[in-house]
Each structure stands twice: as structure tokens, then as C-alpha cells.
Amino acid sequence: MKKYPVIADFIDKETGEVVKAGDVFEADDDRAEQLKEKQLIGKEVEKQAVKPKGNSATKPEASPAQPSTEKQPDEENKPAGDK
């Protein structure tokens, strides 16, 4: 089944459930055509490309051998009365 964005609230005649604008509705071609004619759903949602997890090319990370340049608060930086 294909997925479509809901653009107006309606009650699904097949399930009796309320479908809200902003939801994504799954329908076969015939049912989708009926709902489009009534201006209840929009155009088919295109499938988004799935990005592989852990791809280092998308997010640069510091090498474990390189020390971080960010300063972290630690006990040495606290005033003497706070220890």
C-alpha cells in the first residue's frame, strides 16, 4: 500500500477510525483516488532514502588519539570552598 498525507480530518469508512490532518494514511490505488477526489489526502509520500548508520563521512568525529579542545569543568577549577 502507498502512503499519503492527510489534509483534512475524516472518518475512515472501512475502519470507523478518525483520521486527522497531518497523519499519514495508507491506501490502495482505488481508495486513494476516492479520498483525493474528496480532497482528504494529498499526493503520495515519496520514499526517503535510508542513510546507513555509522557513516563517518556524514559526521566528522575527533579521533580518540587527539585530545579534545573543549574545556570540561572539573574539581581543580572550583573555588577552594566548594570542594
Side-chain angles (χ1 to χ4, degrees):
M1 285 216 227
K2 296 178 183 176
K3 296 181 180 184
Y4 302 88
V6 178
I7 56 177
D9 295 354
F10 67 96
I11 297 174
D12 184 358
K13 71 177 184 180
E14 295 178 0
T15 65
E17 295 180 6
V18 175
V19 182
K20 300 273 188 181
D23 289 349
V24 175
F25 188 79
E26 289 188 27
D28 60 29
D29 291 338
D30 292 335
R31 180 77 171 121
E33 193 59 39
Q34 293 170 1
L35 295 171
K36 284 180 188 177
E37 288 174 4
K38 295 178 181 181
Q39 298 180 346
L40 298 173
I41 62 172
K43 294 182 181 180
E44 179 183 3
V45 175
E46 293 186 25
K47 296 177 184 174
Q48 296 180 353
V50 177
K51 294 181 182 178
K53 292 183 181 179
N55 187 349
S56 61
T58 60
K59 183 171 80 172
E61 295 182 18
S63 167
Q66 297 175 348
S68 173
T69 58
E70 294 181 28
K71 292 187 177 185
Q72 299 292 327
D74 56 36
E75 293 296 320
E76 294 176 350
N77 293 335
K78 289 185 179 180
D82 291 349
K83 286 188 178 181

